[in-house]
Amino acid sequence: MDHNLYLQSLFAFIDQSPTAFHVAANATATLEQAGFQRLHEADSWQELASGNYYVLRNDAGLIAFTYPGETAEPRPLRMAGAHTDSPGLRVKPQPMQLHQGCLQLGVEVYGGALLAPWFDRNLSLAGRVGWCALDGDLRSSLLDCRRPLAIIPSLAIHLDREANNGHALNKQTDLVPLLGLSGEGSPLSFIDWLKAELLAQSPQLPVETVLDFDLFLYETQALTRIGLSGELISGSRLDNQLSCHALVHGLIQAKDRQPSLV
């Protein structure tokens, strides 16, 4: 693939993959366009024909492989791996909080995240939402708000004179995103807001009740080329979506169809 085309593909992949669920969905779409067929773990694979396959688990884990069929001699299997998730801030089950007239969102640190870069960024929400349909079926949908909804503001320097002297961050009290202003009444129902957001993005969904969610905050700024000659890449989730993208395209474009798995 041409260098510039590859970078365009990489940038689009990461910008459209704010969570592990979106990484798996976008990688799956790429594999299917290349002729890979989905297998289900509950099915029997005893008589699997030669071909290209993938397996999806929990909407976030993906295994793709090329299978040459039965051969007289054992053949080595080339394997490589990467993680689809990225360190970040995960929304708590009961997230809405009111404090001093401010509406805040309860979050917890997910993975080995660097905390300082989350301050003073435009943050949005994305992930997976489970819901009950009008006919009683249980379903789930991916959600990506794709607009700034929250911010974790830094305290003004004259209110925290030690901010530049190795100030330790408290995950519970410092990492509380601000969603907006509110009176001192009951917090907005997050479940009700999620239902309205789902229907706004996909009006055709027969959503009766939102049951659960697995949501993460992410920075809205798109991946960017920087440097005097544009030789550097700056952006969120490069760890480890860059590797996921490379493995999927490497598996598809491999010239020698050796048994391979990612």
Side-chain angles (χ1 to χ4, degrees):
M1 181 184 293
D2 174 78
H3 174 72
N4 288 324
L5 289 177
Y6 181 80
L7 285 180
Q8 290 176 18
S9 173
L10 172 64
F11 278 41
F13 179 80
I14 294 181
D15 288 340
Q16 295 168 13
S17 302
T19 71
F21 305 115
H22 293 81
V23 172
N26 291 326
T28 294
T30 301
L31 290 168
E32 289 183 344
Q33 289 176 2
F36 280 69
Q37 303 175 53
R38 181 172 182 176
L39 297 176
H40 297 274
E41 292 180 272
D43 297 338
S44 173
W45 300 359
Q46 292 299 318
E47 299 180 2
L48 197 62
S50 174
N52 303 320
Y53 301 95
Y54 75 89
V55 182
L56 192 62
R57 173 177 285 189
N58 194 32
D59 296 333
L62 176 68
I63 296 174
F65 61 94
T66 59
Y67 179 63
E70 295 295 334
T71 57
E73 297 292 331
R75 303 179 66 180
L77 177 66
R78 300 174 178 178
M79 300 174 62
H83 53 86
T84 58
D85 57 348
S86 299
L89 302 179
R90 188 178 192 174
V91 179
K92 291 182 177 180
Q94 300 291 335
M96 291 301 201
Q97 305 173 10
L98 283 180
H99 184 70
Q100 298 294 325
C102 294
L103 186 61
Q104 298 178 309
L105 188 71
V107 298
E108 60 184 356
V109 176
Y110 175 86
L114 288 171
L115 302 184
W118 285 93
F119 284 80
D120 305 313
R121 304 295 181 99
N122 294 329
L123 305 175
S124 190
L125 280 170
R128 180 178 61 177
V129 180
W131 47 278
C132 180
L134 296 172
D135 59 7
D137 284 349
L138 302 181
R139 308 183 191 181
S140 67
S141 299
L142 296 188
L143 177 72
D144 183 2
C145 296
R146 301 193 66 82
R147 68 185 189 280
L149 292 172
I151 191 170
I152 305 176
S154 296
L155 196 60
I157 188 65
H158 58 275
L159 297 176
D160 185 7
R161 293 296 184 182
E162 300 301 314
N164 295 322
N165 298 327
H167 177 66
L169 295 174
N170 186 305
K171 296 179 181 179
Q172 301 301 322
T173 59
D174 293 334
L175 292 174
V176 186
L178 178 65
L179 284 176
L181 301 177
S182 177
E184 291 297 335
S186 299
L188 173 71
S189 168
F190 191 67
I191 292 295
D192 290 344
W193 178 84
L194 271 181
K195 178 180 178 180
E197 190 69 20
L198 271 179
L199 292 175
Q201 294 190 18
S202 303
Q204 75 281 3
L205 289 179
V207 181
E208 172 68 20
T209 307
V210 169
L211 302 174
D212 203 356
F213 55 85
D214 199 354
L215 299 175
F216 297 81
L217 286 171
Y218 73 95
E219 183 189 3
T220 58
Q221 180 175 326
L223 208 64
T224 309
R225 293 182 68 169
I226 63 174
L228 295 179
S229 302
E231 68 271 34
L232 303 175
I233 298 174
S234 174
S236 304
R237 305 185 304 280
L238 285 170
D239 176 16
N240 195 280
Q241 292 188 17
L242 184 149
S243 299
C244 293
H245 178 270
L247 290 178
V248 167
H249 283 270
L251 183 66
I252 291 173
Q253 298 175 26
K255 299 187 185 309
D256 57 355
R257 306 312 296 174
Q258 293 292 326
S260 303
L261 179 147
V262 301

mmCIF file of all heavy atoms in Angstrom, residues 120-144:
data_model
loop_
_atom_site.group_PDB
_atom_site.id
_atom_site.type_symbol
_atom_site.label_atom_id
_atom_site.label_comp_id
_atom_site.label_asym_id
_atom_site.label_seq_id
_atom_site.Cartn_x
_atom_site.Cartn_y
_atom_site.Cartn_z
ATOM 1 N N ASP A 120 -7.839 19.603 30.940
ATOM 2 C CA ASP A 120 -8.024 20.704 29.991
ATOM 3 C C ASP A 120 -8.141 20.229 28.545
ATOM 4 O O ASP A 120 -7.696 20.918 27.619
ATOM 5 C CB ASP A 120 -6.888 21.731 30.137
ATOM 6 C CG ASP A 120 -6.762 22.247 31.562
ATOM 7 O OD1 ASP A 120 -7.796 22.594 32.144
ATOM 8 O OD2 ASP A 120 -5.627 22.273 32.088
ATOM 9 N N ARG A 121 -8.729 19.064 28.355
ATOM 10 C CA ARG A 121 -8.982 18.526 27.016
ATOM 11 C C ARG A 121 -10.485 18.451 26.778
ATOM 12 O O ARG A 121 -11.268 18.228 27.710
ATOM 13 C CB ARG A 121 -8.378 17.126 26.857
ATOM 14 C CG ARG A 121 -6.880 17.031 27.151
ATOM 15 C CD ARG A 121 -6.050 17.806 26.172
ATOM 16 N NE ARG A 121 -4.634 17.703 26.434
ATOM 17 C CZ ARG A 121 -3.798 16.877 25.807
ATOM 18 N NH1 ARG A 121 -4.276 16.083 24.861
ATOM 19 N NH2 ARG A 121 -2.518 16.851 26.104
ATOM 20 N N ASN A 122 -10.877 18.594 25.530
ATOM 21 C CA ASN A 122 -12.283 18.394 25.166
ATOM 22 C C ASN A 122 -12.549 16.897 25.102
ATOM 23 O O ASN A 122 -11.944 16.180 24.300
ATOM 24 C CB ASN A 122 -12.589 19.042 23.820
ATOM 25 C CG ASN A 122 -12.463 20.546 23.861
ATOM 26 O OD1 ASN A 122 -12.716 21.168 24.891
ATOM 27 N ND2 ASN A 122 -12.072 21.153 22.755
ATOM 28 N N LEU A 123 -13.463 16.433 25.940
ATOM 29 C CA LEU A 123 -13.704 15.000 26.089
ATOM 30 C C LEU A 123 -15.105 14.623 25.626
ATOM 31 O O LEU A 123 -16.067 15.349 25.865
ATOM 32 C CB LEU A 123 -13.525 14.583 27.552
ATOM 33 C CG LEU A 123 -12.179 14.932 28.198
ATOM 34 C CD1 LEU A 123 -12.190 14.567 29.678
ATOM 35 C CD2 LEU A 123 -11.033 14.244 27.474
ATOM 36 N N SER A 124 -15.195 13.465 24.977
ATOM 37 C CA SER A 124 -16.481 12.934 24.562
ATOM 38 C C SER A 124 -16.666 11.547 25.170
ATOM 39 O O SER A 124 -15.795 11.052 25.898
ATOM 40 C CB SER A 124 -16.577 12.867 23.036
ATOM 41 O OG SER A 124 -17.897 12.565 22.627
ATOM 42 N N LEU A 125 -17.793 10.918 24.886
ATOM 43 C CA LEU A 125 -18.127 9.606 25.421
ATOM 44 C C LEU A 125 -18.347 8.598 24.293
ATOM 45 O O LEU A 125 -18.932 8.934 23.261
ATOM 46 C CB LEU A 125 -19.406 9.675 26.256
ATOM 47 C CG LEU A 125 -19.293 10.202 27.684
ATOM 48 C CD1 LEU A 125 -20.684 10.432 28.260
ATOM 49 C CD2 LEU A 125 -18.513 9.232 28.551
ATOM 50 N N ALA A 126 -17.899 7.379 24.522
ATOM 51 C CA ALA A 126 -18.128 6.308 23.547
ATOM 52 C C ALA A 126 -18.062 4.971 24.258
ATOM 53 O O ALA A 126 -17.488 4.844 25.340
ATOM 54 C CB ALA A 126 -17.098 6.368 22.422
ATOM 55 N N GLY A 127 -18.659 3.957 23.628
ATOM 56 C CA GLY A 127 -18.612 2.621 24.180
ATOM 57 C C GLY A 127 -19.770 1.777 23.706
ATOM 58 O O GLY A 127 -20.277 1.947 22.590
ATOM 59 N N ARG A 128 -20.217 0.875 24.572
ATOM 60 C CA ARG A 128 -21.290 -0.056 24.246
ATOM 61 C C ARG A 128 -22.445 0.142 25.215
ATOM 62 O O ARG A 128 -22.242 0.318 26.413
ATOM 63 C CB ARG A 128 -20.778 -1.499 24.324
ATOM 64 C CG ARG A 128 -21.817 -2.564 24.002
ATOM 65 C CD ARG A 128 -21.203 -3.963 24.050
ATOM 66 N NE ARG A 128 -20.671 -4.276 25.367
ATOM 67 C CZ ARG A 128 -20.128 -5.453 25.693
ATOM 68 N NH1 ARG A 128 -20.016 -6.400 24.766
ATOM 69 N NH2 ARG A 128 -19.677 -5.667 26.907
ATOM 70 N N VAL A 129 -23.662 0.100 24.673
ATOM 71 C CA VAL A 129 -24.869 0.277 25.484
ATOM 72 C C VAL A 129 -25.775 -0.935 25.283
ATOM 73 O O VAL A 129 -26.082 -1.314 24.147
ATOM 74 C CB VAL A 129 -25.623 1.567 25.083
ATOM 75 C CG1 VAL A 129 -26.880 1.730 25.933
ATOM 76 C CG2 VAL A 129 -24.712 2.786 25.241
ATOM 77 N N GLY A 130 -26.204 -1.545 26.397
ATOM 78 C CA GLY A 130 -27.154 -2.650 26.334
ATOM 79 C C GLY A 130 -28.563 -2.143 26.582
ATOM 80 O O GLY A 130 -28.793 -1.324 27.467
ATOM 81 N N TRP A 131 -29.518 -2.635 25.775
ATOM 82 C CA TRP A 131 -30.883 -2.122 25.892
ATOM 83 C C TRP A 131 -31.903 -3.202 25.587
ATOM 84 O O TRP A 131 -31.595 -4.225 24.980
ATOM 85 C CB TRP A 131 -31.100 -0.916 24.976
ATOM 86 C CG TRP A 131 -30.620 -1.067 23.558
ATOM 87 C CD1 TRP A 131 -29.336 -0.904 23.113
ATOM 88 C CD2 TRP A 131 -31.398 -1.415 22.404
ATOM 89 N NE1 TRP A 131 -29.272 -1.119 21.745
ATOM 90 C CE2 TRP A 131 -30.518 -1.427 21.296
ATOM 91 C CE3 TRP A 131 -32.743 -1.700 22.204
ATOM 92 C CZ2 TRP A 131 -30.949 -1.723 20.000
ATOM 93 C CZ3 TRP A 131 -33.184 -1.999 20.925
ATOM 94 C CH2 TRP A 131 -32.289 -1.999 19.838
ATOM 95 N N CYS A 132 -33.119 -2.941 26.053
ATOM 96 C CA CYS A 132 -34.244 -3.843 25.806
ATOM 97 C C CYS A 132 -35.113 -3.248 24.712
ATOM 98 O O CYS A 132 -35.470 -2.062 24.769
ATOM 99 C CB CYS A 132 -35.048 -4.027 27.087
ATOM 100 S SG CYS A 132 -36.466 -5.132 26.916
ATOM 101 N N ALA A 133 -35.434 -4.058 23.708
ATOM 102 C CA ALA A 133 -36.242 -3.587 22.578
ATOM 103 C C ALA A 133 -37.725 -3.611 22.938
ATOM 104 O O ALA A 133 -38.146 -4.185 23.941
ATOM 105 C CB ALA A 133 -35.982 -4.450 21.352
ATOM 106 N N LEU A 134 -38.513 -2.975 22.083
ATOM 107 C CA LEU A 134 -39.954 -2.916 22.300
ATOM 108 C C LEU A 134 -40.590 -4.303 22.315
ATOM 109 O O LEU A 134 -41.618 -4.514 22.962
ATOM 110 C CB LEU A 134 -40.607 -2.052 21.214
ATOM 111 C CG LEU A 134 -40.202 -0.571 21.211
ATOM 112 C CD1 LEU A 134 -40.770 0.122 19.979
ATOM 113 C CD2 LEU A 134 -40.673 0.126 22.482
ATOM 114 N N ASP A 135 -39.958 -5.261 21.614
ATOM 115 C CA ASP A 135 -40.499 -6.624 21.580
ATOM 116 C C ASP A 135 -39.939 -7.497 22.696
ATOM 117 O O ASP A 135 -40.212 -8.700 22.760
ATOM 118 C CB ASP A 135 -40.225 -7.276 20.229
ATOM 119 C CG ASP A 135 -38.728 -7.344 19.907
ATOM 120 O OD1 ASP A 135 -37.907 -7.003 20.790
ATOM 121 O OD2 ASP A 135 -38.387 -7.735 18.776
ATOM 122 N N GLY A 136 -39.119 -6.917 23.594
ATOM 123 C CA GLY A 136 -38.586 -7.654 24.727
ATOM 124 C C GLY A 136 -37.210 -8.247 24.514
ATOM 125 O O GLY A 136 -36.602 -8.763 25.460
ATOM 126 N N ASP A 137 -36.675 -8.206 23.280
ATOM 127 C CA ASP A 137 -35.346 -8.738 23.013
ATOM 128 C C ASP A 137 -34.278 -7.876 23.668
ATOM 129 O O ASP A 137 -34.428 -6.657 23.787
ATOM 130 C CB ASP A 137 -35.088 -8.795 21.503
ATOM 131 C CG ASP A 137 -35.821 -9.941 20.835
ATOM 132 O OD1 ASP A 137 -36.346 -10.793 21.556
ATOM 133 O OD2 ASP A 137 -35.864 -9.961 19.588
ATOM 134 N N LEU A 138 -33.180 -8.534 24.083
ATOM 135 C CA LEU A 138 -32.033 -7.818 24.643
ATOM 136 C C LEU A 138 -31.011 -7.587 23.539
ATOM 137 O O LEU A 138 -30.610 -8.528 22.848
ATOM 138 C CB LEU A 138 -31.415 -8.622 25.792
ATOM 139 C CG LEU A 138 -32.340 -8.955 26.968
ATOM 140 C CD1 LEU A 138 -31.571 -9.719 28.031
ATOM 141 C CD2 LEU A 138 -32.967 -7.699 27.545
ATOM 142 N N ARG A 139 -30.574 -6.365 23.380
ATOM 143 C CA ARG A 139 -29.646 -6.018 22.310
ATOM 144 C C ARG A 139 -28.580 -5.061 22.835
ATOM 145 O O ARG A 139 -28.665 -4.567 23.958
ATOM 146 C CB ARG A 139 -30.390 -5.372 21.131
ATOM 147 C CG ARG A 139 -31.578 -6.177 20.616
ATOM 148 C CD ARG A 139 -32.218 -5.522 19.409
ATOM 149 N NE ARG A 139 -33.491 -6.133 19.060
ATOM 150 C CZ ARG A 139 -34.241 -5.759 18.037
ATOM 151 N NH1 ARG A 139 -33.855 -4.754 17.256
ATOM 152 N NH2 ARG A 139 -35.400 -6.362 17.796
ATOM 153 N N SER A 140 -27.588 -4.802 22.003
ATOM 154 C CA SER A 140 -26.565 -3.822 22.352
ATOM 155 C C SER A 140 -26.167 -3.045 21.106
ATOM 156 O O SER A 140 -26.291 -3.538 19.982
ATOM 157 C CB SER A 140 -25.335 -4.501 22.967
ATOM 158 O OG SER A 140 -24.672 -5.306 22.014
ATOM 159 N N SER A 141 -25.705 -1.830 21.327
ATOM 160 C CA SER A 141 -25.291 -0.957 20.229
ATOM 161 C C SER A 141 -24.026 -0.214 20.633
ATOM 162 O O SER A 141 -23.799 0.063 21.816
ATOM 163 C CB SER A 141 -26.389 0.066 19.892
ATOM 164 O OG SER A 141 -27.580 -0.562 19.489
ATOM 165 N N LEU A 142 -23.221 0.113 19.631
ATOM 166 C CA LEU A 142 -22.071 0.970 19.884
ATOM 167 C C LEU A 142 -22.524 2.421 19.858
ATOM 168 O O LEU A 142 -23.392 2.810 19.072
ATOM 169 C CB LEU A 142 -20.991 0.741 18.825
ATOM 170 C CG LEU A 142 -20.357 -0.652 18.783
ATOM 171 C CD1 LEU A 142 -19.176 -0.657 17.804
ATOM 172 C CD2 LEU A 142 -19.913 -1.096 20.157
ATOM 173 N N LEU A 143 -21.922 3.211 20.727
ATOM 174 C CA LEU A 143 -22.262 4.626 20.837
ATOM 175 C C LEU A 143 -20.995 5.453 20.747
ATOM 176 O O LEU A 143 -19.988 5.115 21.373
ATOM 177 C CB LEU A 143 -22.974 4.905 22.163
ATOM 178 C CG LEU A 143 -23.342 6.362 22.453
ATOM 179 C CD1 LEU A 143 -24.496 6.793 21.551
ATOM 180 C CD2 LEU A 143 -23.720 6.548 23.922
ATOM 181 N N ASP A 144 -21.027 6.502 19.967
ATOM 182 C CA ASP A 144 -19.929 7.461 19.889
ATOM 183 C C ASP A 144 -20.535 8.848 19.753
ATOM 184 O O ASP A 144 -21.110 9.185 18.721
ATOM 185 C CB ASP A 144 -19.012 7.154 18.697
ATOM 186 C CG ASP A 144 -17.819 8.095 18.634
ATOM 187 O OD1 ASP A 144 -17.680 8.954 19.531
ATOM 188 O OD2 ASP A 144 -17.019 7.979 17.678
#
